[in-house]
Amino acid sequence: MSSDLHRSSPMSRCQVAVLLLVGAVACNSSDTNGLTVQVTVVDFVYQASTSIDPDVAAAHAACVIGVGQTHIHPSWLNFSRIDMRAVGADRWEITFENVPIDVLQSIRVSDPNVCADNRTGAATQNVSANAVLLTNVVDTPGNGVEPGLSFTVDANRLVTP
């Protein structure tokens, strides 16, 4: 009986080869599930002071130091920290060219001046995407759960908060 187990017909060898090939293809495409992700450009603007308020820095030193420069954490980049660019006295900006379309996304903007209102410096006001004010507050990962904002964007760069 053991000799029967070791004998294979050409058909069963072929079936095994096909199964191995199918398994290899499935592993290679598992990252994208065979789908092409379409992306677009989103310009983020955060209307807030670009200098740190000395009163906030004195009263909330640990938070202010922890936040550092105003920055953003985008969901499509695994909430990595990316510094925003100061433009004038009351405006921060950043542009992303890789935001997936028609998929709910979230961001967290961290501002040292917000430490007076939120222990982590997470801002939930005065943030816009492609000139649309973001208003839907959601939980995002950070130092525990931190508030952020969600949105979707379509192929025409139209943002829905």
Side-chain angles (χ1 to χ4, degrees), residues 22-45:
V22 168
V25 170
C27 290
N28 288 337
S29 64
S30 65
D31 288 343
T32 61
N33 293 325
L35 301 175
T36 301
V37 177
Q38 294 181 351
V39 296
T40 192
V41 176
V42 177
D43 299 311
F44 291 94
V45 173

Side-chain angles (χ1 to χ4, degrees), residues 83-94:
D83 288 345
M84 297 183 79
R85 181 179 62 258
V87 181
D90 293 307
R91 183 179 173 108
W92 295 92
E93 295 180 353
I94 192 163

